Amino acid sequence: MFVLGPSLLSLALDSSLSLCAPPRELYSPLLTEKILQTALASRATQYPQYTDRVAGDWLYFAPDTWTSGFFPATLYAMYTRARLCNWDTENATQWLTLGRQWSTAEVPLESNNSVGHDVGFLSYPFVEELVINPHNETAISAVNRFASDLAARFSSVVGCTRSWDTPNPIDFQVIIDNMMNLEVLFVSAGLTGNNTLREIAISHANKTMRNHIRPDGASVYRPFQQKTWIESDVIAKFTAQGYANWSTWSRGQAWGIYGFSNMYKHTGHLDYLTTARRMAAYFLTHLPTDGIVPWDFNAPLDPPRPADSSAAMIAVNGLMLLSQQERSLSPANDTGASYYQNAAMQLLRDNTQLAWRPEWQSLLANGTVDNPQGNNLTGIVYGDYFFVKAGNDLLSMGVASC
């Protein structure tokens, strides 16, 4: 049984972390209005990824982009919201119809895409469709083909799926984001009975656990390069979006919390739960006093480091998933579950208060796409998706109401 250490236990029992109400913006009519306006104003042939920094208007990209699954997945999440909140049937049907329409331009990517490992993110709306209609052949085909695409990137020598193709065939890069893409392997394995997909996910998670996570629980962004096709050594560990190779990029840390919590959910392997706890501990104990998630936990304070609301929302979802896994233990770890749930709620409130921008097309502002490239202080489509998903999960958990 996992027992919280003294510092985390004191946080769990601290009245300041008692379960607070979710931010009212999470269930605001304006949230619904904004998403609907975007869905109806565009033709679903290009996808919003992030906004400009002034007016907050969406910038659109071709379907062959790693983020293109998030907006249609948000529309499916709104269908779920309609069901959870007992909205009328016509309203719910509208969201489902829009989700299906917005997924259509993704279908050709099943056989031809350039996103590498991120096919898992492309699969999100099709996975959501299967929850609604497990017999939908379009969704079944999409999930299975995206899973096959990801599995084809697996090297038994390295034990991981390759992130991107590189000019040097023995240069094998693996990033922490890959942990989020493993879900499609489990879903496809459930559809097909192909246990190899499950084994690939486990191998990748085991190698990531061994090579991406520092002793203090912080994540490394890109750790591997493969030396030969018959043996593999880690010869470089470095960042692309963080402040420095030794620092901790907050979105990568959030991917890890969620990814390892999800691996425990699928396998019951306690090492994954332990890793998720370690990564969550680092994230929560390195937050500034105002609770706002910075782009990088170790970036200098002068000049002021930008926030990343998308990292915050991913971490909120990861912490809630971790809380659920603590309650699934036998006996349940109620102390740990309450701690992670309370921390998620506080993180959600603090970062929504900063990032909610009524006049923008996105739900949230203050996101950082890629700070080294100067792409910060924007709305981000995956930040919005995880914001809506957090609201749905709280409703499903019975700790919020519409």
Side-chain angles (χ1 to χ4, degrees):
M1 167 60 68
F2 166 65
V3 179
L4 288 169
S7 60
L8 295 187
L9 181 59
S10 65
L11 284 172
L13 301 178
D14 190 333
S15 61
S16 68
L17 275 179
S18 59
L19 189 61
C20 56
R24 65 182 184 276
E25 294 87 354
L26 201 57
Y27 306 106
S28 165
L30 183 57
L31 177 147
T32 304
E33 179 183 330
K34 284 185 173 191
I35 298 172
L36 187 60
Q37 285 179 347
T38 299
L40 295 177
S42 304
R43 293 179 295 173
T45 56
Q46 289 194 316
Y47 292 87
Q49 184 180 92
Y50 55 86
T51 70
D52 69 84
R53 301 172 64 179
V54 179
D57 291 340
W58 284 118
L59 303 179
Y60 288 80
F61 294 79
D64 192 13
T65 306
W66 76 273
T67 56
S68 61
F70 286 107
F71 187 70
T74 301
L75 297 172
Y76 275 99
M78 291 304 296
Y79 171 75
T80 301
R81 177 75 58 92
R83 300 295 297 272
L84 290 169
C85 293
N86 295 314
W87 295 348
D88 63 74
T89 301
E90 183 178 353
N91 192 318
T93 301
Q94 178 187 36
W95 289 113
L96 181 57
T97 300
L98 287 169
R100 288 169 173 168
Q101 289 175 349
W102 274 81
S103 301
T104 303
E106 283 197 74
V107 172
L109 301 178
E110 297 168 23
S111 56
N112 184 21
N113 69 77
S114 64
V115 302
H117 62 288
D118 282 324
V119 291
F121 287 127
L122 299 185
S123 75
Y124 274 24
F126 302 103
V127 171
E128 292 299 324
E129 174 65 36
L130 291 177
V131 174
I132 300 163
N133 179 7
H135 305 293
N136 185 301
E137 291 296 333
T138 299
I140 291 171
S141 176
V143 167
N144 287 338
R145 293 181 75 175
F146 283 136
S148 295
D149 196 351
L150 182 59
R153 306 187 67 79
F154 179 75
S155 164
S156 59
V157 176
V158 179
C160 285
T161 56
R162 182 197 296 263
S163 292
W164 301 288
D165 297 328
T166 56
N168 184 347
I170 64 170
D171 179 9
F172 199 103
Q173 295 184 4
V174 182
I175 66 174
I176 190 68
D177 312 41
N178 279 34
M179 289 300 302
M180 297 295 291
N181 288 282
L182 301 180
E183 175 69 11
V184 72
L185 298 176
F186 285 106
V187 177
S188 183
L191 292 170
T192 63
N194 182 358
N195 197 54
T196 298
L197 299 175
R198 177 183 170 89
E199 292 171 354
I200 288 172
I202 291 171
S203 174
H204 182 97
N206 288 345
K207 283 297 186 77
T208 301
M209 188 166 53
R210 186 180 311 157
N211 292 294
H212 279 71
I213 315 303
R214 300 182 179 116
D216 62 357
S219 65
V220 177
Y221 186 60
R222 296 182 184 171
F224 288 131
Q225 291 180 307
Q226 183 180 354
K227 292 179 70 175
T228 73
W229 290 111
I230 59 173
E231 61 178 310
S232 174
D233 291 319
V234 177
I235 63 172
K237 297 187 178 185
F238 55 96
T239 189
Q241 294 192 42
Y243 171 67
N245 291 343
W246 50 264
S247 70
T248 303
W249 176 52
S250 62
R251 192 160 73 241
Q253 192 73 10
W255 291 138
I257 297 169
Y258 193 105
F260 282 106
S261 297
N262 196 45
M263 283 299 301
Y264 176 76
K265 176 183 175 182
H266 281 294
T267 67
H269 294 177
L270 283 174
D271 283 349
Y272 299 143
L273 187 62
T274 299
T275 301
R277 291 165 177 164
R278 291 176 57 219
M279 298 194 77
Y282 184 96
F283 196 103
L284 294 171
T285 57
H286 285 77
L287 286 170
T289 55
D290 61 6
I292 302 302
V293 177
W295 141 70
D296 188 298
F297 285 111
N298 308 113
L301 301 180
D302 185 18
R305 57 189 180 183
D308 186 3
S309 58
S310 73
M313 296 308 141
I314 296 161
V316 166
N317 282 263
L319 291 167
M320 290 197 295
L321 181 58
L322 179 53
S323 174
Q324 293 166 355
Q325 303 322 300
E326 298 290 359
R327 292 201 192 281
S328 74
L329 294 170
S330 182
N333 178 17
D334 290 327
T335 300
S338 296
Y339 169 70
Y340 294 125
Q341 182 176 315
N342 294 348
M345 291 287 273
Q346 191 64 53
L347 194 65
L348 181 60
R349 286 184 63 86
D350 290 341
N351 287 271
T352 300
Q353 184 176 10
L354 171 74
W356 180 260
R357 200 66 57 86
E359 69 276 16
W360 282 28
Q361 291 182 348
S362 62
L363 303 178
L364 302 177
N366 290 91
T368 295
V369 176
D370 188 338
N371 196 66
Q373 298 298 319
N375 193 341
N376 55 34
L377 301 178
T378 72
I380 304 178
V381 69
Y382 41 88
D384 282 6
Y385 165 73
F386 283 105
F387 182 64
V388 175
K389 184 179 183 302
N392 289 354
D393 289 347
L394 291 172
L395 293 171
S396 298
M397 294 163 65
V399 296
S401 61
C402 300

